[in-house]
């Protein structure tokens, strides 16, 4: 299956974001159905794009893997969010039921 570069980049981005940890080049290559050398070039090109733009995230290379991370200059913002107490909003049974269920219970 032939993919264009934008689709391959989107797939790599999705995998790195979802995994949340480093992902080996071989696993990324399998995900986009390319060889490791092509995958490495593609991800390094993505790294350059992330670094050239005002983005809050970047991709780093670790040995033979890649990981999506927060850029260092945004750590303070992240710490402010993480240090806030979590608000637990109770979910009512009415919210869990679908619209049809609510209509039936009114009848």
């Amino acid at each position: 299956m032939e993919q264009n570069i934008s689709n391959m980049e989107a797939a790599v981005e999705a995998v790195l974001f979802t995994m949340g940890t480093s992902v080996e080049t071989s696993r990324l290559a399998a995900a986009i159905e390319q060889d490791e050398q092509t995958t490495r070039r593609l991800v390094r090109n993505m790294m350059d794009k992330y670094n050239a733009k005002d983005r809050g995230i970047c991709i780093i290379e670790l040995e033979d893997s890649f990981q999506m991370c927060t850029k260092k200059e945004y750590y303070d913002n992240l710490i402010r969010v993480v240090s806030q107490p979590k608000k637990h909003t109770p979910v009512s049974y009415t919210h869990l039921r679908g619209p049809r269920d609510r209509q039936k219970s009114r009848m």
Side-chain angles (χ1 to χ4, degrees), residues 19-75:
M19 295 302 289
T21 61
S22 62
V23 180
E24 295 85 7
T25 305
S26 60
R27 293 178 70 195
L28 289 172
I32 61 172
E33 300 176 322
Q34 298 293 319
D35 61 74
E36 289 186 33
Q37 183 178 4
T38 301
T39 301
R40 220 175 270 107
R41 275 197 316 265
L42 179 87
V43 179
R44 287 177 180 155
N45 185 48
M46 291 174 67
M47 292 168 70
D48 292 341
K49 288 180 184 180
Y50 276 104
N51 289 331
K53 295 180 181 179
D54 289 332
R55 306 287 296 263
I57 55 175
C58 63
I59 298 172
I60 59 171
E61 187 170 359
L62 307 163
E63 304 247 342
D64 195 30
S65 62
F66 295 93
Q67 183 172 351
M68 187 171 278
C69 302
T70 303
K71 284 186 177 177
K72 290 179 185 177
E73 55 265 37
Y74 297 103
Y75 282 178

Side-chain angles (χ1 to χ4, degrees), residues 1-16 28-29 31-35 38-39 42-43 46:
M1 176 178 157
E2 190 173 317
Q3 300 182 55
N4 68 35
I5 291 174
S6 294
N7 287 345
M8 289 188 289
E9 287 179 346
V12 167
E13 186 176 58
V15 169
L16 292 176
L28 289 172
I32 61 172
E33 300 176 322
Q34 298 293 319
D35 61 74
T38 301
T39 301
L42 179 87
V43 179
M46 291 174 67

